[in-house]
Amino acid sequence: MSENVLEVKGLSKMYKKGVYAAHDVTFNIKKGEIFALIGPNGAGKTTTIRMISTLLTATEGDAVVAGHSILTDAAKVRENITYLPDEAGAYKTMKGIDYLDFMAKLYAPDKNHAKEYVERAKEICGLGDRLFDKIESYSRGMIRKLLLSRAVMSRPALAILDEPTSGLDILNALEIRRMIKKLAADEGMSFLLSSHNMLEIEFVSDRVGIIAKGNLLEIGTPEELKAKHNAKNLEEVFEGMVKNSEIC
Amino acid sequence: MKFANLFRKELKELLTPSTIITTIVMMFVLVFAGNAFGGIIEDSVEQMSVMTICDKDQSQISKDLIKQLTISEVDEETGAVISYDDSLVKLVDIQSEDYAKELERLDVNNAIIIPEGFGDALLNGKECEIISISKMSSSATLSNISLNDSAVESIRQIAKTLYIANKGISLEDIAKSETLVTVSPITIVADKSAPVSSTLISSLTSMQSMFVPIVVYVLIMFSSQLIMTAISTEKIDKTLETLLSAPVSRLSVLLAKMLAAGTVAAFNAIAYMIGFSQMMGSMTSELPSGIDADKYLSELGLTLSFSGYILLGLQLFVTVLITLSVSLVLGALAKDAKSAQSLLMPIIFMAIIPYILSMVMDLKELNPILRIIVYAIPFTHTFTAAENIMFSNMGIFWGGFAYQCILLVICMAVAVKIFTTDRIFTVTLNFGGKKRAKKNKTLSENE
Ligand SMILES: Nc1ncnc2c1ncn2[C@@H]1O[C@H](COP(=O)(O)OP(=O)(O)OP(=O)(O)O)[C@@H](O)[C@H]1O
Ligand SMILES: [Mg+2]
């Protein structure tokens, strides 16, 4: 098995003939790495992520997760990933704890593992007694924490989080970012994130890929990119790139 | 100015193509139903004016009586008969007592038998009985206008005149003439008959034909709404994406949904069956005393046997499964909660058209083209199932059931197809909202 948890090779998606929503996207994620796709609205982040999560079939290209191809081995891929959709909700009439239990049983090989997953999620989400309330009474931040703990409770080889902090206040966003960083550092989990908030992603990710109009324009650590474009932060990097190539 | 602006916006929002289509379809249903009623009423009127009579008496009195029935024109002033029309009475020969078979052979739905000795009894001022036979083939209200009742009334009047004419007039005689003719009614359903008036049976079954469809309609709408809300919330909340990216087979996600909904549906169907049998029970027990309606209904086969209930339950179950799978597909392809609502439209139509039609008329009497159209609506067979079983139209019942089973397989296949490919995320249905969706897209692309 290779070092890479994820290898994306020339992944493309056309919803409509002739229009690429994602075009020839290629990148890798190493074990324990946090990789972020950043780009403006409609850039193709969600499309790329959904293909890797086996929800969409790729028009061209392939992605290999922990040695399994999304084209030929989607079931095995699903065993190695968790996916948190953007703006996702949970079953409103369930209690938080029941939701964790329900999801744990889908991912766990047996009952004992499921129990352990729930315990772990309880700890990570930090919702305490509120877990015993119905999800419909949760705030957006609480739901996001619940879902994030769900996504990492089974220690997947790769956790895929689409815009994990969008719509959250500064404190909640900060908390989520810290959770992700801690899990990667302490447990060697790998993350694929997406965001259009380039400033916040600079703090959390090891490497970023800048995507616009379906094309992955550049990949590197935030430092590399800033140095290359002679910019103070990623936002300026992005602005510079757009001006240079007139992509938008 | 501001108000006009607001009003225009509200009107635009409400007058979507889907609401306009609803209105137009509703209008067509009503027009169509009206035409169909008209046809049926015309038919009945036509039939009503032709009396089928079997004269077993062959006496002068009975012959005179029949002659009087053929009077077609009377001078308004003098009361003298101007003309007779022999086609008003169809004279037939009924030999056996198996009236069901005899009516079948004669190809009529009603007949009156004047028994032997009628003339003698009349002349002697004794009670003289005629037999009035009516065949029922549906519980729909309009198809059961009793055709014999007016004929019997005419016979009464004529017999009275004949009696008085033969007797010389005294007060007692006139009073006597009023009660001279007694009617012994016979109602036929399929191959069974019972000595009870079809008007009574019709009033009993029309209760059923009013209430049962309401329950079926509610059941269809309930299960449809149930699963459509469930699946479209899963899609909108993106819990569906989470589920489908989890290490479970997509087929099992789909099957679990269908099975759960099917269980609820089965539960509904059973509850409905219990309610239905209770209703039939209490309906017949609340009749004026002296008439054992229960006995007659069962003699006519108008009560459901145990196997009848099983068939009905089975049929309802298949209906609900069709509803569920269609709603599941529609709900899964809905873009948002509002479009999920408008996607209920086709189901509402498929339910409401046969609902109204089957309640007021006998679909078997529709003209062939309309019949095919109405029978192509899968729920038609559900609304007519109880009636078809009770009136022994088993061919139609099984045909409809087979049709529904085939449809169910097709709907399930479509549902599986949508769930196991990425269509569930790439295809969206939005009745009448297409243009707007496109507009929004070009707008966002321009941004
Ligand atoms: N189901 C679909 N059918 C057709 N086109 C789609 C569909 N989903 C997305 N697209 C198009 O594909 C392109 C990429 O969309 P995508 O959702 O991947 O962008 P994104 O980077 O996730 O944007 P955002 O930051 O707004 O979430 C857009 O132009 C979008 O309109
Ligand atoms: Mg997105």
Side-chain angles (χ1 to χ4, degrees), chain B residues 9-29:
Chain B
K9 174 230 161 208
E10 297 297 341
L11 201 62
K12 249 189 196 159
E13 228 155 68
L14 295 177
L15 270 185
T16 59
S18 68
T19 57
I20 294 170
I21 290 171
T22 314
T23 316
I24 292 173
V25 171
M26 248 2 253
M27 191 184 75
F28 272 109
V29 169

Side-chain angles (χ1 to χ4, degrees), chain A residues 46 86 162-163:
Chain A
T46 301
D86 59 334
D162 198 357
E163 311 208 12

